[in-house]
């Protein structure tokens, strides 16, 4: 080994080839060998000792960051339990490379580029090169005279290449193995974190883009409750319950594996080429997988194709996973629901929970809605959404579900910058107050703090990003939706318009009182 065996790219230490002597002591401890034993450590034990290098724990350091991205409503106990066991919900790659090359060489593309070379004949050696063909850089070019292990520090997709030379006793090098990334016809795994609804809905089309681009046999591991939404719409993908897959503790021989997530502590962009806060919640999957990041709505299955009710209706969802995502204007929903009902729409609430919150703060669904809350199948929610006139809600998972259902979506949010979500012309956002702290990389979102407001917590300005969104702003946005009714109506008005022209004229000149948009008077 050369003295300085750390390979540098543009002055930054990246990766190095590890040899048996560097891990023998830890490997020996793992295999419970007696101290001072001269017995050689086999390759399998060495791989186990290097498991933390080849298969780092997805989701961040468990002790440092026991957090989860979730748009689904959960009670306090379930929420804390999920955080504590987050690491157990991620599928880990095989502890050693899964693909076999000549002369005992192993390689794959799980967590980046991985390679193993066996112990050579005495006096001989290897030269190992790992390359990123997309950037046209050599990440590792190192000689090794023992068995060696290497993996890149970048774990997202790259078009990698492995080249290995055999060094004879005279120092002459001969290329004995070269492999360029080619996933066509091979088994590939993409894994989504468990517990996220909106995230997974936004990421699903990028998994399909990856499958189409590489023509691979794709397995997608995700939360069990999402499988029925996707399996019939994406028949070429093998959907599996990631929790069950982890609990089976099987070893998988995937050619490549990729983990999609929101990586807050990824300062070196090892897991995500672009910080998700700067490119959008869903588009980050495109960058991680190396496909076109242009957004595409997911295809979703509904429980039935028929309308759930015959009358025109609007679907709303008012709950979110943390208070800063709520519409914190205390009168907002009251006036919007009253206005929608005045237009003749039935207003259906499809939140999972009738009441949601934590500790002393609890939020109720608004008065005046028709209650369709409850832990119902997501395919049933899609049925309600597909036949709705439009959806009004927050930056939450049900907004993403409405987007996939193909209806106009009104999103009320100040906590997230509009680039966070999918593009909608009906985004309600107030730039005259503090806003967008989710996308501000100077602040690390605290998943455990239900009242998180990094700039103004415990001040009169807390949650002003949504408290200052008026109901007039929301109503004006609703009225801009093509096909939305523009005039308030009631049963008497409808009867007069349909059966008696003179009564309709009288109504226009001062008959039945019309519903009106309330002037601004909310406390903000």
């Amino acid at each position: 080994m050369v003295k300085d065996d750390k390979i540098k790219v543009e002055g930054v230490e990246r990766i190095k080839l590890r040899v048996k002597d560097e891990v023998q002591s830890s490997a020996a401890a793992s295999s419970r060998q007696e101290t001072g034993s001269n017995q050689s450590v086999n390759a399998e034990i060495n791989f186990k000792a290097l498991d933390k290098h080849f298969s780092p724990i997805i989701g961040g350091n468990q002790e440092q960051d026991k957090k989860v991205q979730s748009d689904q409503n959960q009670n306090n106990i379930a929420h804390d339990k999920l955080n504590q066991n987050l690491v157990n919900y991620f599928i880990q790659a095989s502890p050693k490379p899964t693909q076999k090359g000549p002369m005992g060489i192993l390689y794959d593309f799980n967590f980046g580029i991985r390679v193993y070379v066996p112990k050579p004949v005495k006096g001989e050696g290897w030269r190992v090169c790992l390359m990123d063909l997309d950037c046209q850089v050599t990440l590792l070019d190192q000689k090794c005279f023992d068995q060696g292990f290497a993996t890149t520090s970048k774990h997202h997709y790259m078009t990698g290449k492995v080249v290995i030379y055999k060094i004879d006793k005279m120092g002459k090098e001969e290329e004995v193995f070269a492999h360029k990334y080619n996933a066509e016809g091979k088994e590939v795994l993409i894994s989504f974190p468990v517990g996220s609804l909106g995230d997974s809905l936004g990421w699903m089309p990028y998994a399909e883009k990856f499958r189409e681009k590489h023509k691979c046999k794709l397995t997608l591991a995700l939360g069990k409750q999402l499988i029925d939404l996707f399996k019939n719409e994406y028949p070429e993908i093998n959907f599996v319950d990631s929790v069950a897959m982890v609990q089976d503790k099987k070893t998988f021989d995937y050619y490549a594996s990729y983990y999609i997530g929101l990586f807050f502590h990824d300062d070196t962009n090892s897991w995500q080429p672009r910080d998700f806060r700067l490119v959008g919640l869903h588009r980050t999957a495109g960058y991680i997988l190396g496909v076109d990041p242009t957004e595409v709505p997911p295809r979703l299955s509904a429980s039935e194709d028929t309308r759930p009710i015959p009358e025109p209706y609007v679907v709303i969802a008012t709950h979110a996973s943390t208070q800063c995502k709520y519409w914190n204007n205390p009168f907002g929903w009251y006036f919007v629901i009253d206005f929608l009902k005045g237009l003749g729409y039935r207003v259906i609430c499809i939140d999972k929970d009738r009441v949601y919150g934590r500790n002393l703060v609890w939020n109720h669904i608004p008065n005046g809605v028709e209650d369709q809350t409850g832990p119902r199948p997501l395919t049933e929610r899609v049925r309600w959404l597909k036949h709705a006139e439009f959806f009004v809600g927050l930056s939450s998972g049900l907004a993403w579900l409405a987007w996939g259902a193909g209806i106009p979506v009104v999103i009320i949010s100040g906590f997230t910058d509009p680039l966070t979500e999918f593009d909608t012309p009906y985004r309600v956002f107030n730039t005259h107050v503090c806003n967008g702290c989710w996308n501000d990389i100077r602040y690390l979102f605290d998943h455990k703090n239900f009242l998180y407001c990094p700039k103004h917590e415990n001040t009169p300005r807390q949650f002003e990003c949504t408290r200052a969104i008026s109901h007039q702003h929301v109503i004006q946005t609703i009225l801009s939706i093509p096909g939305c009714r523009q005039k308030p109506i009631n049963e008497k008005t409808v009867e007069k318009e349909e059966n008696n022209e003179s009564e309709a004229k009288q109504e226009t000149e001062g008959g039945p009182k019309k519903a009106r948009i309330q002037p601004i008077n909310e406390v903000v």
Side-chain angles (χ1 to χ4, degrees):
M1 295 289 292
V2 294
K3 185 175 181 180
D4 183 10
D5 56 359
K6 293 184 178 181
I7 304 304
K8 297 182 178 181
V9 177
E10 297 179 354
V12 180
E13 293 182 350
R14 300 292 184 178
I15 58 176
K16 70 172 184 175
L17 196 67
R18 295 173 61 86
V19 297
K20 181 180 66 175
D21 293 341
E22 295 177 292
V23 296
Q24 188 167 3
S25 59
S26 59
S30 300
S31 62
R32 299 183 180 179
Q33 293 182 358
E34 295 182 357
T35 304
S37 171
N38 293 324
Q39 182 179 355
S40 64
V41 183
N42 61 39
E44 180 68 23
I45 294 175
N46 275 327
F47 276 125
K48 288 182 179 179
L50 284 173
D51 183 63
K52 65 180 181 179
H53 298 284
F54 276 133
S55 305
I57 294 174
I58 308 303
N61 185 299
Q62 188 182 17
E63 297 301 322
Q64 181 182 13
D65 186 22
K66 295 180 180 178
K67 303 176 176 68
V68 63
Q69 297 298 308
S70 174
D71 286 317
Q72 289 181 289
N73 298 315
Q74 305 164 17
N75 60 38
N76 293 343
I77 296 176
H79 183 275
D80 293 340
K81 183 178 180 180
L82 182 60
N83 285 343
Q84 293 171 3
N85 296 292
L86 173 63
V87 67
N88 298 322
Y89 291 161
F90 288 92
I91 299 166
Q92 302 298 315
S94 168
K96 62 181 180 180
T98 60
Q99 309 300 302
K100 295 182 179 180
M103 307 175 73
I105 296 168
L106 302 176
Y107 69 97
D108 66 16
F109 298 90
N110 294 296
F111 293 101
I113 311 171
R114 309 194 304 173
V115 67
Y116 161 76
V117 289
K119 185 178 180 65
V121 175
K122 186 175 181 179
E124 297 182 352
W126 309 97
R127 178 186 168 196
V128 179
C129 300
L130 304 182
M131 306 171 190
D132 178 356
L133 299 182
D134 296 323
C135 297
Q136 289 295 305
V137 296
T138 297
L139 303 173
L140 176 71
D141 187 349
Q142 186 177 329
K143 294 180 180 180
C144 175
F145 298 93
D146 204 330
Q147 65 175 348
F149 316 83
T151 181
T152 57
S153 62
K154 299 291 185 179
H155 309 301
H156 52 74
Y157 172 82
M158 61 183 119
T159 305
K161 185 176 182 180
V162 178
V163 181
I164 297 178
Y165 301 86
K166 185 69 181 293
I167 304 174
D168 64 19
K169 295 180 180 179
M170 303 298 295
K172 183 180 179 180
E173 298 181 3
E174 177 187 4
E175 181 181 307
V176 294
F177 178 69
H179 180 82
K180 176 184 174 182
Y181 183 96
N182 181 7
E184 183 172 354
K186 297 184 176 67
E187 297 285 347
V188 175
L189 171 70
I190 295 176
S191 180
F192 292 171
V194 173
S196 64
L197 174 58
D199 303 1
S200 296
L201 290 168
W203 297 334
M204 181 64 234
Y206 296 104
E208 174 67 357
K209 285 185 180 184
F210 183 91
R211 186 197 66 79
E212 292 176 340
K213 177 180 178 179
H214 295 283
K215 299 179 175 60
C216 61
K217 298 177 180 178
L218 180 61
T219 294
L220 180 58
L222 72 173
K224 182 178 180 180
Q225 75 279 10
L226 297 172
I227 294 178
D228 286 342
L229 279 178
F230 298 135
K231 65 181 181 181
N232 293 330
E233 303 299 323
Y234 300 92
E236 301 298 322
I237 296 178
N238 176 35
F239 292 93
V240 297
D241 176 4
S242 58
V243 175
M245 199 172 180
V246 170
Q247 292 174 344
D248 287 343
K249 297 182 178 180
K250 294 181 180 178
T251 300
F252 302 100
D253 296 330
Y254 292 109
Y255 175 78
S257 297
Y258 304 98
Y259 295 84
I260 314 300
L262 307 180
F263 301 97
F264 284 89
H265 296 288
D266 189 21
D267 296 335
T268 60
N269 294 114
S270 294
W271 295 97
Q272 53 192 5
R274 300 285 303 279
D275 193 304
F276 69 90
R277 290 165 288 194
L278 303 179
V279 299
L281 188 74
H282 50 323
R283 298 183 195 93
T284 188
Y287 288 101
I288 292 172
L289 294 174
V291 297
D292 179 6
T294 303
E295 67 181 39
V296 177
R299 303 194 297 267
L300 305 175
S301 294
S303 58
E304 297 180 38
D305 292 331
T306 57
R307 291 180 64 89
I309 55 177
E311 299 83 6
Y313 64 92
V314 173
V315 169
I316 72 166
T318 66
H319 286 318
S321 57
T322 187
Q323 193 66 39
C324 58
K325 294 183 180 181
Y326 277 80
W327 185 14
N328 288 294
N329 181 329
F331 306 104
W333 284 114
Y334 170 80
F335 288 117
V336 168
I337 291 167
D338 186 60
F339 175 77
L340 290 171
K341 294 173 73 174
L343 292 178
Y345 293 120
R346 294 175 66 174
V347 182
I348 313 297
C349 181
I350 63 167
D351 281 304
K352 178 183 177 183
D353 299 297
R354 188 174 299 167
V355 180
Y356 184 77
R358 208 170 301 168
N359 300 325
L360 296 178
V361 179
W362 295 91
N363 302 272
H364 298 251
I365 63 173
N367 290 329
V369 300
E370 297 183 46
D371 187 352
Q372 288 291 329
T373 61
R376 308 187 187 188
L378 292 174
T379 53
E380 180 182 330
R381 298 307 192 196
V382 173
R383 180 194 180 202
W384 276 99
L385 288 165
K386 280 190 172 182
H387 297 284
E389 301 299 309
F390 50 86
F391 171 88
V392 184
L394 314 174
S395 178
S396 67
L398 289 174
W400 292 85
L401 200 67
W403 179 52
I407 62 173
V409 180
V410 178
I411 296 181
I412 307 166
S413 179
F415 164 64
T416 57
D417 187 272
L419 70 80
T420 303
E421 298 89 14
F422 51 89
D423 182 47
T424 172
Y426 316 113
R427 182 63 152 83
V428 185
F429 186 72
N430 188 345
T431 60
H432 297 288
V433 290
C434 181
N435 61 76
C437 59
W438 167 262
N439 302 87
D440 193 332
I441 61 175
R442 295 173 298 177
Y443 301 98
L444 184 62
F445 182 61
D446 185 356
H447 300 71
K448 295 181 180 180
N449 181 4
F450 189 72
L451 301 179
Y452 175 76
C453 182
K455 298 180 182 179
H456 304 298
E457 188 167 356
N458 298 321
T459 76
R461 296 182 63 186
Q462 187 166 6
F463 303 139
E464 70 176 17
C465 59
T466 55
R467 284 195 301 115
I469 293 177
S470 68
H471 71 270
Q472 293 93 340
H473 190 178
V474 176
I475 289 173
Q476 176 179 267
T477 303
I478 290 172
L479 289 172
S480 70
I481 299 174
C484 177
R485 292 174 174 175
Q486 299 294 306
K487 295 182 179 180
I489 62 174
N490 56 39
E491 292 181 3
K492 293 182 179 180
T493 305
V494 172
E495 182 179 352
K496 290 177 181 179
E497 288 178 346
E498 291 179 348
N499 302 322
N500 193 308
E501 183 178 355
S502 63
E503 290 184 6
K505 182 178 180 180
Q506 180 184 358
E507 188 269 343
T508 303
E509 295 175 350
K513 188 177 180 180
K514 294 184 179 181
R516 65 188 181 91
I517 298 177
Q518 193 76 8
I520 297 176
N521 60 0
E522 300 97 300
V523 178
V524 297

